[in-house]
Amino acid sequence: MDTMLLRILVSTIVVSLLIFIILLIKTLLNNHMTVKAHYHIWYILYIPILAAFLPWNYFYLKEGTDYFKSLLLFHKDAPLKSERINGVDASQAPNGDLLHDFTVSVNKSTPEFVYHIFFTVWVVGVVLFVGTAVYSYYQIYQIKKSAAVVHNQKLNKLLEVCKEMVGVKRNIRLRETSLISSPITFGIFQPFIFIPSKTRETFSLNELKYVFLHELHHHKSKDLFVNYVMWIFQIIYWFNPVVWYALKRVRMDRELACDASVLNLLDESGYIEYGYTIIRFADKKYDRPFEQFAPGIGGTKKQIEQRIQCIASYSRDSLLLKWKSKVICAFLGIAVLFLAPITTVIASPNDVYQFSGKNMVYEDLSSYFKGYKGSFVLYDPSKNQYQIYNREMSEQRISPDSTYKIYSALFALESNVISPNHNKQVWDGKIYPFPEWNQNQNLATALSRSVNWYFQNTDREVGRKPLQDYYHKIKYGNEDLSGNLNSYWMESSLKISPIEQVQLLYQLEENQWGFKAENIKAVKKAILIDVQKNRQLYGKTGTGMVNRKNVNGWFIGIVDKGEDRFYFAINIQNKDGQAQGSKAAEIAKQILYHKKLY
């Protein structure tokens, strides 16, 4: 929930800043831009939305997006103030018969129910605006249903002449109806021009020519499509007054650009007649809901006043002005495109791993997960087969918690911060909640006791940039180290799915990354849990604790059975504070026993 709100917040900030930049440029460079450029510059608002779907990782911009994420995270993970000992708050999960499972609680200052309230309010607003859009379409449907075909040959001939003047070759259907008081145009795939029933009686052919020229320019400029995009903006950002103001300016600039296009086809004597035609449609029940989708020649009195002022001062654009307008729009567009990686925060696909494996067997293991949401993944390399319980959750990326320490240890070994034979770290004397932490540690004890300070020290010595390179190299989950270096793995930025956990364990065992064999061996030796006859169990638990509640439990590992190896990962989640790594290990042990693997 908080991830969704983060995206909405960040996207709101990005779009709002971009609107302010566009308004500033329009103000400062007002005399250096054509009327059409003042309208077309708003198209730049679409870039952040489109950029969210570009594969920025392939352009080597991953680190840049991670940096932006580190700046934009609006909540900090920190130990709770209660029950703190020397700055640390922690809780020990039941040991079970596998590993001691220690976990450190992180504090998310905003209660979960607050996220739900804000999200619910946003959804209600979206639903209301979608309802308004549906009602607008219903109004348009009623207009189309009531409209009659115009059989007047003079009007149809005039429309064809105007189409030729504007350069529109599509078939435009002319209809008249009593449900409107001002001409409108509608339809992207089947375009229509609707005119009021009394138009032929009250307007001359010359005035109707101006009406047709105006409506046809809306079709030529794809303004109808722009209207749909603006409605999407309004639905998503209904709560943002900056977006509302921008959309109001877009509609005004659209009409000014359309007027300028019509005037460009007329001689100076036609300017006044065109202006008088517009005035006759001023404030005739304008701004009804459907007119947000169907632009027309009319408008409110205030809008018409501004348009008449622009018509009165109209002069044809010089070649220099046109080129300056193109340069300004292009420069701003390129600048926004370079900043577009920010928008990967808005609609990042990194929360879900798109698994494309073919040899999969989906199992129903729900009887083992009573009281928990969860997933279990087992990979058998001899059959190249995945056995999966709960496909959706097996692909969902979540915090790895202490399971990351397998790879933190490996990276420390590869960076020569520690070595297989020299990996002792001296306790600094700080009193931690666990007696097992308050002593010197080596790699084996640090992993079995899940000693946070040991791996925080090695991570700092390795350094953020080399660590990031390592995570990229092994493709660890979303590869996102934008969180605090001491806690990026602990209900923070780094996330991984159960399927990826299994794949990484296999790649670790096979050393597909080209690391030193002795380092792989040292890590595997340190996570050896149990030996039974010809079977060995290797593994690491992890528990995610938020606000003193265990919400996320992991157990990942390897089973050596004779000449065969099996790789597994289990994750459980529970809002009641019972989802611990030790419980995940207990469930995994039952499943492995049932499969006669342990």
Side-chain angles (χ1 to χ4, degrees):
M1 186 67 67
D2 55 341
T3 301
M4 173 64 76
L5 287 178
L6 173 62
R7 292 175 179 176
I8 296 173
L9 173 64
V10 174
S11 66
T12 300
I13 293 172
V14 171
V15 170
S16 298
L17 286 175
L18 188 51
I19 288 171
F20 282 123
I21 291 171
I22 291 173
L23 291 172
L24 181 63
I25 289 176
K26 283 166 62 66
T27 301
L28 296 178
L29 302 177
N30 178 59
N31 296 327
H32 300 278
M33 297 171 59
T34 64
V35 176
K36 290 182 181 180
H38 275 279
Y39 171 50
H40 292 156
I41 199 171
W42 289 110
Y43 292 176
I44 293 170
L45 276 177
Y46 309 153
I47 293 179
I49 303 300
L50 294 174
F53 300 97
L54 292 177
W56 291 108
N57 292 356
Y58 293 101
F59 295 105
Y60 303 99
L61 293 173
K62 174 69 176 175
E63 293 178 19
T65 60
D66 289 344
Y67 173 73
F68 283 121
K69 286 182 182 181
S70 68
L71 295 178
L72 293 168
L73 285 173
F74 67 93
H75 69 263
K76 297 291 184 182
D77 300 329
L80 287 166
K81 293 182 180 179
S82 61
E83 302 181 31
R84 287 169 65 98
I85 301 178
N86 205 18
V88 175
D89 167 61
S91 172
Q92 183 173 3
N95 294 337
D97 58 353
L98 295 171
L99 285 177
H100 289 276
D101 185 20
F102 302 90
T103 180
V104 175
S105 179
V106 294
N107 177 30
K108 298 201 173 175
S109 55
T110 306
E112 188 70 21
F113 76 89
V114 174
Y115 293 123
H116 284 281
I117 291 173
F118 277 104
F119 184 73
T120 301
V121 170
W122 177 74
V123 170
V124 169
V126 168
V127 170
L128 290 175
F129 275 88
V130 170
T132 303
V134 172
Y135 177 65
S136 298
Y137 255 83
Y138 173 75
Q139 287 184 313
I140 292 172
Y141 170 76
Q142 292 296 323
I143 291 172
K144 291 171 67 175
K145 187 177 178 181
S146 68
V149 177
V150 176
H151 296 291
N152 188 291
Q153 289 186 346
K154 289 184 178 180
L155 278 184
N156 286 309
K157 185 176 180 180
L158 178 61
L159 179 59
E160 293 302 317
V161 171
C162 291
K163 284 172 60 178
E164 188 174 345
M165 289 178 64
V166 175
V168 174
K169 296 181 180 180
R170 297 184 64 188
N171 180 31
I172 308 292
R173 296 165 177 80
L174 183 61
R175 301 288 188 269
E176 60 181 357
T177 174
S178 60
L179 297 182
I180 60 175
S181 58
S182 177
I184 60 171
T185 186
F186 180 79
I188 295 178
F189 302 107
Q190 291 185 340
F192 290 87
I193 292 178
F194 297 101
I195 60 175
S197 297
K198 302 290 185 180
T199 302
R200 286 184 292 167
E201 301 173 7
T202 56
F203 287 84
S204 66
L205 284 177
N206 205 40
E207 289 172 322
L208 286 173
K209 180 183 76 172
Y210 300 135
V211 171
F212 291 158
L213 290 175
H214 186 93
E215 303 305 328
L216 288 170
H217 267 293
H218 279 310
H219 281 287
K220 183 178 180 181
S221 301
K222 305 296 187 294
D223 291 338
L224 303 174
F225 174 76
V226 174
N227 285 347
Y228 285 99
V229 177
M230 289 194 299
W231 255 98
I232 292 173
F233 263 81
Q234 195 160 357
I235 289 171
I236 296 174
Y237 303 107
W238 62 266
F239 56 90
N240 189 343
V242 177
V243 172
W244 279 73
Y245 176 75
L247 296 180
K248 181 179 178 181
R249 288 289 301 269
V250 171
R251 293 185 181 102
M252 188 68 242
D253 288 338
R254 178 192 67 198
E255 294 306 317
L256 293 175
C258 192
D259 289 340
S261 297
V262 173
L263 294 175
N264 194 49
L265 298 175
L266 306 176
D267 53 35
E268 291 187 11
S269 62
Y271 298 174
I272 297 176
E273 293 179 359
Y274 178 68
Y276 276 121
T277 302
I278 291 176
I279 291 173
R280 295 190 63 176
F281 289 107
D283 210 22
K284 291 191 176 181
K285 297 181 181 179
Y286 195 71
D287 276 349
R288 290 180 294 181
F290 72 84
E291 286 172 339
Q292 304 296 324
F293 287 100
I297 194 171
T300 64
K301 290 180 179 179
K302 187 175 181 180
Q303 292 169 342
I304 295 297
E305 181 181 351
Q306 184 176 348
R307 290 169 65 184
I308 293 299
Q309 290 175 352
C310 291
I311 291 172
S313 60
Y314 175 78
S315 61
R316 297 182 186 276
D317 301 327
S318 66
L319 183 62
L320 177 61
L321 184 62
K322 291 179 180 178
W323 273 107
K324 285 196 292 186
S325 299
K326 291 178 181 178
V327 170
I328 292 169
C329 291
F331 179 80
L332 180 59
I334 293 171
V336 171
L337 189 58
F338 270 100
L339 294 175
I342 299 176
T343 60
T344 59
V345 181
I346 305 171
S348 171
N350 289 343
D351 286 345
V352 176
Y353 172 60
Q354 303 297 331
F355 183 48
S356 58
K358 296 180 179 179
N359 194 9
M360 295 173 287
V361 175
Y362 292 100
E363 303 177 302
D364 181 9
L365 301 176
S366 56
S367 60
Y368 295 97
F369 287 81
K370 292 180 179 178
Y372 299 94
K373 294 192 305 179
S375 64
F376 179 84
V377 180
L378 179 73
Y379 177 59
D380 181 355
S382 65
K383 300 178 181 177
N384 190 26
Q385 183 186 74
Y386 289 89
Q387 299 173 35
I388 298 174
Y389 164 65
N390 196 332
R391 177 174 183 172
E392 182 179 355
M393 290 193 68
S394 71
E395 297 178 358
Q396 183 69 42
R397 285 174 171 165
I398 51 180
S399 174
D401 297 306
S402 289
T403 63
Y404 102 104
K405 291 171 183 174
I406 293 175
Y407 303 96
S408 178
L410 179 60
F411 300 154
L413 288 165
E414 284 294 307
S415 302
N416 296 318
V417 169
I418 57 177
S419 70
N421 298 321
H422 299 88
N423 47 63
K424 180 180 178 181
Q425 289 205 29
V426 179
W427 173 47
D428 61 5
K430 292 181 180 179
I431 303 300
Y432 295 95
F434 313 117
E436 293 88 345
W437 284 18
N438 300 326
Q439 54 189 283
N440 298 341
Q441 306 288 340
N442 58 36
L443 182 60
T445 61
L447 277 169
S448 64
R449 300 166 182 172
S450 208
V451 182
N452 281 3
W453 63 259
Y454 183 97
F455 297 98
Q456 289 167 340
N457 287 347
T458 58
D459 277 357
R460 282 194 294 270
E461 288 190 59
V462 173
R464 183 184 289 273
K465 176 63 168 62
L467 270 178
Q468 185 69 79
D469 291 340
Y470 280 125
Y471 279 105
H472 287 334
K473 181 175 182 177
I474 70 172
K475 293 181 170 52
Y476 188 98
N478 65 355
E479 308 170 30
D480 185 355
L481 269 66
S482 61
N484 188 294
L485 192 59
N486 285 332
S487 58
Y488 63 90
W489 43 274
M490 189 166 49
E491 302 304 315
S492 184
S493 61
L494 187 65
K495 295 181 180 181
I496 191 170
S497 67
I499 290 179
E500 290 170 296
Q501 291 271 35
V502 168
Q503 291 174 335
L504 286 173
L505 287 172
Y506 174 71
Q507 292 165 5
L508 173 72
E509 176 73 26
E510 298 296 316
N511 194 9
Q512 293 184 359
W513 308 310
F515 291 145
K516 294 178 182 177
E518 59 267 28
N519 292 339
I520 300 289
K521 184 178 180 181
V523 170
K524 189 176 179 183
K525 180 180 178 181
I527 60 172
L528 176 62
I529 296 173
D530 194 19
V531 178
Q532 293 185 6
K533 297 181 180 178
N534 66 334
R535 301 173 186 176
Q536 294 85 42
L537 176 65
Y538 302 82
K540 182 74 185 78
T541 58
T543 302
M545 178 182 276
V546 178
N547 297 341
R548 293 185 296 175
K549 287 186 177 182
N550 296 320
V551 298
N552 184 27
W554 281 102
F555 184 49
I556 67 172
I558 306 170
V559 175
D560 279 359
K561 183 182 178 183
E563 298 297 322
D564 296 321
R565 290 189 178 90
F566 302 87
Y567 305 85
F568 67 88
I570 183 173
N571 176 261
I572 59 174
Q573 298 175 32
N574 185 295
K575 291 185 178 180
D576 296 331
Q578 304 300 318
Q580 298 170 294
S582 56
K583 181 61 180 179
E586 178 185 329
I587 296 173
K589 185 179 177 182
Q590 293 172 2
I591 295 172
L592 293 173
Y593 179 80
H594 173 75
K595 293 178 176 292
K596 299 181 180 180
L597 297 178
Y598 176 72

